[in-house]
């Protein structure tokens, strides 16, 4: 029988199917970080258990870490205690920790792929909703809550009901200035912030196949922003050449064996999806959000919807409230609007290709004086690469501040916050009220669009600068 | 985990749609290493103008004493965004036993179920009827029957819940107890993976 990519991986990991209930699903890799793991460690300890398969767990400190002076003790007491707790828990349970000071430290969804830990065909979980990022390699990867982290510690399994399956086909060639972040912001703007709830999404089509692994990760990363349980892309030669030679990728004979296995991971021709969506890549323009959920996005040269014209009362009220929070006007264009901050980072867009993209646009230019620009690389490895390629010099000359790796201003758990009422063009994934700091106003966009605004000081169509 | 059977109570309505977990519990309050005490920061930035709690926002329902009860009723796509279980902990710690909406985000729903907080999915029209009720009105949620009733009018609707999860809630069972009991089967399964 024809199977989807999802079904091929899922079926292989079902330990037991409970009659009329969920499946007991085996988990290959479990990533953890300091914020959503402490209560899970406490939970298993209370039950007198230890972590069942510590060598399948990888830990890092990312959400809560400072991005300046990481060699010094963390100033915020609660943050320091949380990071310390992770160190102690990992030591006690013999879990590999890439903590502060370790050359592999970084945002959990950046380091998994770059170290070759994330491999096609795996089931991967983490107490973080952006775990969907790893789906770019043809994995079933999804975010879980802390009780589920505890379950995986205790049993290396989860009780899961199989989600419905959706395929989003994106065919055609991307326009100049349009990158993978624009593709995903476009999709979410079309199907809404809840349009894929209950589904696991496979992204397919010629536009997806043409993307690099890092670009694919950006797309899968934001699957959760339309409510999807996860997103995935079938592995191909681009996937294999990305993985080859990475720290924890298989090698030698094992590599050949794995490649043969990975080549079977695609949706069969007649495989059935519960829902299919078709998108013409040539219709996508550089995108920007104007509201307080990632589904409220428009083409950069478009206009904010006219509120009075929205038929559904709930949606109309939502958009009115969002525009009030954002200080924006219904029916207007955002182009030319002054912004105060640019944040380039997060598990969505902090990889080396993102930073190369930014550097290529700003080389020889200077940032606008009224704008503060912060670049936070996704990992220590990315930082090292930035220096090796001399991108740091380009950033410095432009007046961009480059920090150390972490989640940073994406969620404002550390000191990196946007002040109330100010605008930030951000390459992160969420524009929720207060996400980047109480009262902060976030406009989500691609690294190119963010960099363009850094140069001009206003919302800009990047195509005018390239 | 606590058992869930029948909840009869007044309710607190928040008509907003797409309430994300950053609103339910902002990230800066996720630094604790225990599950307790998150209730005081529930909807923190909608409740207070500043972090010092000196300026409660009087237009927010949790600051209006006329609204009370163990049932939170909210607009569709409740709990979207981050996977933080702290959102479910905060709602429960504040004193709610059930959340009613016309649509829940997946991870939030799982987190709620894993904490004995009952998510009840109703139709859009039933949700609007609840919102239209006077503040003194109460609801009865019967998990065994899978029904929710507006007590004043007697209007009733049935709701869906995974039968396995229903059994867990009625008996106070955790998934983890079951998974631990499967240890041997899991070890045998692992042999098939290599």
């Amino acid at each position: 029988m024809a199977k989807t990519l999802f079904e091929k991986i899922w079926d292989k990991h079902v330990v037991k199917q409970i009659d009329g209930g969920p499946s007991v699903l085996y988990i290959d890799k479990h990533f953890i970080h300091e914020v959503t793991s402490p209560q899970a460690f406490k939970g298993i300890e209370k039950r007198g258990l230890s972590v069942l398969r510590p060598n399948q767990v990888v830990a890092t400190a990312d959400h809560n870490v400072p991005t300046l002076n990481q060699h010094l003790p963390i100033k915020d007491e609660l943050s320091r205690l949380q990071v310390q707790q992770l160190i102690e828990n990992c030591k006690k349970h013999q879990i590999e920790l890439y903590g502060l000071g370790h050359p592999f430290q970084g945002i959990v969804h950046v380091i998994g792929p770059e170290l070759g830990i994330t491999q096609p065909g795996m089931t991967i979980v983490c107490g973080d909703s952006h775990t969907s990022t790893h789906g770019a390699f043809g994995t079933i990867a999804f975010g879980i809550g802390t009780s589920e982290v505890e379950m995986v510690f205790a049993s290396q399994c989860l009780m899961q009901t199989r989600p419905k399956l959706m395929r989003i086909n994106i065919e055609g060639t991307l326009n100049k200035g349009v990158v993978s972040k624009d593709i995903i912001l476009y999709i979410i703007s079309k199907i809404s912030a809840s349009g894929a709830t209950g589904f696991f999404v496979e992204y397919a089509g010629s536009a997806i196949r043409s993307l690099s692994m890092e670009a694919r990760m950006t797309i899968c990363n934001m699957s959760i922003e339309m409510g999807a349980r996860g997103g995935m892309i079938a592995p191909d030669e681009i996937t294999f050449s990305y993985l080859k030679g990475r720290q924890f990728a298989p090698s030698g004979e094992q590599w050949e064996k794995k490649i043969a296995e990975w080549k079977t991971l695609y949706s069969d021709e007649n495989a059935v999806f519960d829902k299919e969506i078709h998108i013409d890549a040539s219709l996508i323009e550089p995108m920007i959000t104007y509201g307080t959920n990632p589904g409220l996005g428009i083409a950069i040269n478009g206009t904010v919807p006219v509120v009075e014209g929205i038929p559904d009362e709930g949606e109309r009220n939502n958009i009115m409230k969002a525009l009030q929070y954002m200080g924006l006007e219904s029916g207007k264009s955002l182009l030319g609007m002054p912004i105060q901050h640019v944040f380039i980072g997060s598990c969505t867009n902090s990889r080396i290709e993102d930073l190369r993209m930014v550097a290529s646009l700003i080389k020889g230019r200077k940032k606008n004086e009224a704008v503060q620009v912060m670049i936070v690389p996704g990992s220590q490895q990315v930082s090292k690469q930035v220096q090796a390629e001399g991108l740091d010099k380009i950033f410095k000359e432009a007046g961009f501040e480059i920090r150390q790796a972490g989640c940073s201003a994406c969620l404002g758990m550390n000191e990196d916050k946007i002040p109330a009422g100010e605008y930030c063009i951000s390459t992160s994934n969420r524009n929720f009220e207060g996400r980047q700091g109480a009262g902060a106003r976030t406009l989500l966009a691609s690294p190119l669009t963010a960099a363009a605004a850094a140069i001009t000081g206003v919302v800009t169509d990047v195509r005018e600068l390239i | 985990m606590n058992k869930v059977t029948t909840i009869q109570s007044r309710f607190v309505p928040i008509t907003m749609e797409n309430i994300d977990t950053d609103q339910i519990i902002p990230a800066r309050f996720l630094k604790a290493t225990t599950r307790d005490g998150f209730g005081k920061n529930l909807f923190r930035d909608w409740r207070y103008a500043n972090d010092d709690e000196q300026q409660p926002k009087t237009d927010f329902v949790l600051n209006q004493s006329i609204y009370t009860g163990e049932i939170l009723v909210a607009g569709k796509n409740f709990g979207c965004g981050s996977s933080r279980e702290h959102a479910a902990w905060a709602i429960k710690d504040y004193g709610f036993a059930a959340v009613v909406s016309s649509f829940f985000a997946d991870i939030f729903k799982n987190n709620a179920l894993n904490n004995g907080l009952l998510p009840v999915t109703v139709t859009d029209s039933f949700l609007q009827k609840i919102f239209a009720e006077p503040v003194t009105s109460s609801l009865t949620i019967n998990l065994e029957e899978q029904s929710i009733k507006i007590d004043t009018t007697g209007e009733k609707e049935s709701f869906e819940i995974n039968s396995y999860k229903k059994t867990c809630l009625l008996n106070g069972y955790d998934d983890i107890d079951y998974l631990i009991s499967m240890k041997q089967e899991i070890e045998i399964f692992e042999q098939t993976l290599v």
Side-chain angles (χ1 to χ4, degrees):
Chain A
M1 206 185 109
K3 279 186 173 185
T4 62
L5 167 62
F6 179 92
E7 288 164 324
K8 286 178 182 176
I9 302 170
W10 177 275
D11 292 350
K12 205 181 158 208
H13 288 83
V14 173
V15 179
K16 185 178 178 177
Q17 175 64 50
I18 297 164
D19 281 344
S23 306
V24 176
L25 188 73
Y26 190 79
I27 303 302
D28 294 317
K29 281 285 173 228
H30 184 194
F31 291 104
I32 62 168
H33 60 84
E34 75 278 21
V35 178
T36 58
S37 67
Q39 294 88 349
F41 279 111
K42 280 204 173 80
I44 56 161
E45 283 167 13
K46 211 168 133 190
R47 291 169 193 270
L49 298 169
S50 53
V51 174
L52 185 69
R53 297 286 176 255
N55 59 357
Q56 286 168 248
V57 188
V58 175
T60 192
D62 56 3
H63 280 64
N64 215 344
V65 301
T67 55
L68 283 174
N69 296 320
Q70 288 184 346
H71 61 291
L72 298 177
I74 300 175
K75 283 185 202 155
D76 181 279
E77 194 191 346
L78 290 174
S79 301
R80 188 176 65 245
L81 287 174
Q82 207 171 43
V83 171
Q84 186 58 35
Q85 185 89 63
L86 181 71
I87 296 170
E88 285 163 23
N89 284 332
C90 287
K91 200 173 163 192
K92 198 192 296 180
H93 293 275
Q94 285 140 20
I95 291 167
E96 188 77 61
L97 168 64
Y98 303 136
L100 284 181
H102 194 286
F104 294 164
Q105 182 267 339
I107 304 175
V108 62
H109 311 308
V110 173
I111 68 168
E114 81 181 358
L115 294 171
I117 299 169
T118 301
Q119 295 167 19
M122 284 180 166
T123 48
I124 298 176
V125 294
C126 174
D128 187 280
S129 60
H130 294 112
T131 307
S132 58
T133 313
H134 306 265
F137 292 79
T139 69
I140 293 181
F142 54 93
I144 56 177
T146 299
S147 293
E148 293 170 312
V149 171
E150 187 179 334
M151 291 172 208
V152 183
F153 279 162
S155 68
Q156 204 57 36
C157 288
L158 278 176
M159 310 282 278
Q160 288 288 307
T161 304
R162 213 204 76 172
K164 289 181 284 183
L165 302 179
M166 181 192 292
R167 181 161 59 187
I168 301 181
N169 304 282
I170 305 136
E171 299 287 352
T173 313
L174 293 174
N175 292 313
K176 187 178 85 166
V178 175
V179 293
S180 69
K181 180 65 164 287
D182 300 305
I183 300 178
I184 190 65
L185 286 175
Y186 178 84
I187 295 172
I188 305 169
S189 77
K190 290 291 167 204
I191 75 169
S192 91
S194 59
T197 303
F199 289 91
F200 213 98
V201 175
E202 180 179 341
Y203 302 95
S206 59
I208 296 292
R209 297 258 73 88
S210 71
L211 297 175
S212 70
M213 283 317 293
E214 297 195 355
R216 292 178 189 184
M217 283 186 243
T218 301
I219 292 188
C220 289
N221 171 275
M222 289 190 73
S223 303
I224 182 72
E225 308 311 335
M226 51 186 171
R229 204 71 181 88
M232 67 201 310
I233 295 171
D236 58 13
E237 289 304 326
I238 293 174
T239 319
F240 309 147
S241 60
Y242 174 94
L243 278 170
K244 194 160 193 184
R246 293 198 180 252
Q247 190 86 17
F248 297 102
S251 58
E253 209 175 292
Q254 191 61 18
W255 172 259
E256 296 305 324
K257 193 180 150 225
K258 281 287 176 191
I259 287 280
E261 192 186 311
W262 295 344
K263 282 185 174 167
T264 67
L265 297 173
Y266 53 85
S267 287
D268 295 332
E269 205 170 322
N270 298 318
V272 180
F273 290 82
D274 299 289
K275 191 171 181 181
E276 290 223 47
I277 291 175
H278 297 274
I279 285 170
D280 177 353
S282 70
L283 299 178
I284 306 174
E285 302 200 62
M287 296 288 293
I288 191 160
T289 65
Y290 61 87
T292 53
N293 76 57
L296 302 180
I298 50 173
I300 192 94
N301 52 359
T303 51
V304 173
V306 177
V307 175
E308 292 74 23
I310 300 165
D312 181 79
E313 192 191 341
E315 197 187 338
R316 188 166 63 239
N317 290 340
N318 264 348
I319 294 184
M320 266 164 61
K321 187 167 184 284
L323 292 180
Q324 195 181 7
Y325 178 85
M326 293 296 293
L328 297 175
E329 279 181 65
S330 157
K332 294 275 173 67
S333 163
L334 298 183
L335 287 173
M337 186 184 92
I339 48 115
Q340 292 77 46
H341 302 267
V342 170
F343 172 65
I344 295 166
S346 88
C347 56
T348 314
N349 282 125
S350 63
R351 298 179 181 83
I352 190 66
E353 285 179 15
D354 298 314
L355 305 190
R356 282 181 194 142
M357 200 191 298
V358 170
S360 71
L361 185 83
I362 65 161
K363 195 173 181 182
R365 292 175 161 139
K366 287 222 183 306
K367 77 167 179 75
N368 182 283
E369 278 181 9
V371 183
Q372 287 190 325
V373 187
M374 187 159 72
I375 298 189
V376 183
S379 70
Q380 304 294 341
Q381 302 273 312
V382 173
S383 292
K384 211 170 119 187
Q385 192 61 26
V386 161
Q387 282 164 21
E389 295 180 19
L391 304 184
D392 53 330
K393 291 190 190 73
I394 298 174
F395 296 142
K396 275 179 197 144
E397 278 164 22
F400 287 23
E401 186 185 6
I402 184 151
R403 296 284 190 98
Q404 290 169 296
C407 297
S408 181
C410 172
L411 82 166
M413 263 196 95
N414 69 355
E415 303 75 8
D416 307 342
K417 292 182 174 70
I418 307 301
E422 297 190 7
Y423 290 99
C424 178
I425 295 208
S426 177
T427 68
S428 56
N429 40 56
R430 289 187 176 136
N431 49 0
F432 297 153
E433 281 185 28
R435 172 81 177 179
Q436 296 195 287
R441 292 162 163 172
T442 305
L443 306 160
L444 300 176
S446 77
L448 275 181
T449 297
I455 300 300
T456 61
V458 296
V459 176
T460 300
D461 188 333
V462 66
R463 292 170 292 196
E464 289 168 13
L465 299 186
I466 49 181
Chain B
M1 201 170 69
N2 57 297
K3 289 183 188 179
V4 181
T5 51
T6 299
I7 303 157
Q8 183 179 32
S9 162
R10 281 171 61 180
F11 62 92
V12 178
I14 306 180
T15 56
M16 275 291 298
E17 296 177 356
N18 299 312
I19 295 175
D20 58 76
T21 53
D22 275 83
Q23 307 316 315
I24 299 170
I25 180 97
R28 63 187 186 282
F29 301 113
L30 306 184
K31 296 180 183 183
T33 56
T34 66
R35 289 169 178 248
D36 317 311
F38 288 99
K40 68 177 194 298
N41 295 318
L42 175 67
F43 293 116
R44 179 64 181 232
D45 292 337
W46 287 353
R47 270 162 82 192
Y48 301 105
N50 290 311
D51 262 1
D52 60 14
E53 299 180 27
Q54 296 304 305
Q55 289 170 269
K57 293 182 178 175
T58 50
D59 61 343
F60 187 58
V61 285
L62 293 190
N63 292 328
Q64 297 173 352
S65 55
I66 49 165
Y67 294 105
T68 180
E70 287 180 67
I71 303 170
L72 178 66
V73 184
K76 75 173 176 207
N77 200 24
F78 186 82
C80 59
S82 148
S83 65
R84 60 189 70 164
E85 194 164 312
H86 312 66
W89 298 338
I91 293 171
K92 202 166 176 219
D93 188 54
Y94 187 86
F96 292 112
V99 187
V100 178
S101 178
S102 56
F103 198 89
F104 287 95
D106 282 336
I107 307 180
F108 176 82
K109 187 154 73 176
N110 277 343
N111 287 340
L113 289 166
N114 284 330
N115 284 280
L117 174 69
L118 182 63
V120 178
T121 309
V122 296
T123 60
D124 267 321
S125 59
F126 197 78
L127 185 70
Q128 296 314 320
K129 279 178 193 162
I130 300 175
F131 284 145
E133 282 293 304
V135 289
T136 52
S137 181
S138 66
L139 304 172
T140 302
I141 299 168
N142 184 321
L143 177 59
E144 181 63 58
E145 257 185 42
Q146 294 181 221
S147 70
I148 174 166
K149 187 175 78 180
I150 301 171
D151 293 334
T152 44
T153 62
E155 274 180 281
K156 205 168 175 178
E157 191 170 90
S158 60
F159 63 87
E160 290 294 314
I161 183 167
N162 179 309
S163 62
Y164 164 80
K165 277 293 175 193
K166 180 179 168 180
T167 311
C168 288
L169 288 171
L170 286 170
N171 297 290
Y173 296 154
D174 292 323
D175 281 359
I176 195 164
D177 297 324
Y178 182 80
L179 288 169
I180 292 165
S181 76
M182 287 224 12
K183 194 176 173 203
Q184 214 172 355
E185 278 173 86
I186 292 166
E187 282 172 351
I188 293 166
F189 178 83
E190 283 178 322
Q191 304 303 317
T192 69
L193 283 176
V194 264

